[in-house]
Amino acid sequence: MSSPEAPARGGTLGPMAHLSRVLTVVLGAALGALGAWVLMKPASPSLPDTPSVVQQMRDVARLETLEVSLYKKVTFTPEPQATDALWKDVLNWARYALQNPHGRAIVFANAHLGFDFQRFDRSHLQVTGTRVYVMLPPMEVKVELRPGETEVIDSNLDSEQTAQLLEKARLAFEQEVRSNGKLQRRARESAERSLRALLLTLGYREVLFVDHLPAGTAG
């Protein structure tokens, strides 16, 4: 019996061998592309440490203060009754502290609304991955009179009494601003915009402003 002839050397490959070679080439190309992608992929940004974040937030918050111009006409004779409850203290002071007071004043002031970031520390932050919760510190209101524009007209007050009157007016302005919900919201929204922009720049992906931090370890 004659033995079967072996395939001639250098002959064409069978279909299975051809498929195997194609798969090997494709797999090699895929692995090469994957390796190149891993090498070229930008590294995930490392988030800064909490003390650094706190300091940068303080720096931004110092610049983010809402300023409002105010003015008020005040008549401090004994007869008229104050229609604004916040300003009754000014007229009552004039009525009981002065001898036959009379006159009027036009008082101008600037009010500054911002958050007291001197009290802001790592206990006001909670980080979970790239999400950060922020609990803002108490709001701070400061009122400064504008003496160059304030006028006291037809007054029988001496200089000390005039200074007392203006201080009472400043405190009344401060009370007025503290009770103004619209101004409080404007100041909060302005601060949140600036702080959110900062935190996103630092690498966080989600910034949530809350009244209380979620259960867990702050900072």
Side-chain angles (χ1 to χ4, degrees):
M1 294 180 59
S2 58
S3 58
E5 296 182 3
R9 185 172 299 184
T12 58
L13 295 172
M16 293 301 296
H18 179 73
L19 178 60
S20 176
R21 175 171 290 183
V22 170
L23 290 176
T24 300
V25 173
V26 171
L27 181 60
L31 290 175
L34 178 61
W37 178 81
V38 170
L39 291 175
M40 296 175 64
K41 179 186 176 184
S44 299
S46 57
L47 297 175
D49 58 278
T50 301
S52 172
V53 174
V54 168
Q55 185 57 52
Q56 291 185 66
M57 292 179 71
R58 283 177 177 172
D59 293 341
V60 168
R62 287 192 189 102
L63 303 176
E64 198 55 51
T65 301
L66 179 65
E67 184 172 304
V68 182
S69 296
L70 309 167
Y71 80 95
K72 187 79 173 181
K73 295 180 181 179
V74 182
T75 300
F76 46 93
T77 56
E79 293 80 11
Q81 296 296 315
T83 57
D84 188 335
L86 293 173
W87 287 83
K88 282 183 179 179
D89 187 47
V90 177
L91 298 189
N92 286 337
W93 168 83
R95 181 177 294 112
Y96 295 110
L98 306 177
Q99 182 66 35
N100 188 29
H102 63 80
R104 55 196 174 94
I106 305 175
V107 186
F108 291 82
N110 289 330
H112 308 273
L113 293 87
F115 289 92
D116 184 8
F117 267 76
Q118 291 303 315
R119 299 169 60 181
F120 186 84
D121 56 27
R122 60 190 305 161
S123 68
H124 290 76
L125 291 176
Q126 182 170 314
V127 177
T128 305
T130 57
R131 174 187 297 167
V132 58
Y133 296 91
V134 181
M135 184 173 65
L136 292 174
M139 185 168 289
E140 196 172 45
V141 175
K142 293 182 179 179
V143 172
E144 299 173 349
L145 297 182
R146 292 169 12 212
E149 299 172 52
T150 296
E151 297 181 66
V152 181
I153 306 165
D154 298 330
S155 167
N156 66 342
L157 307 185
D158 61 28
S159 58
E160 181 180 353
Q161 292 167 339
T162 300
Q164 292 174 355
L165 170 70
L166 295 179
E167 175 60 15
K168 290 287 184 181
R170 188 191 68 78
L171 293 174
F173 274 133
E174 191 171 288
Q175 287 180 287
E176 198 169 54
V177 172
R178 288 184 187 279
S179 64
N180 190 316
K182 184 176 180 180
L183 289 178
Q184 302 270 338
R185 284 192 299 274
R186 282 178 57 192
R188 184 180 182 92
E189 289 168 0
S190 179
E192 287 184 1
R193 277 195 303 270
S194 296
L195 294 173
R196 178 176 282 108
L198 168 68
L199 292 168
L200 292 176
T201 300
L202 293 177
Y204 297 99
R205 295 290 177 263
E206 187 176 5
V207 181
L208 300 174
F209 292 92
V210 295
D211 294 328
H212 302 283
L213 295 179
T217 304

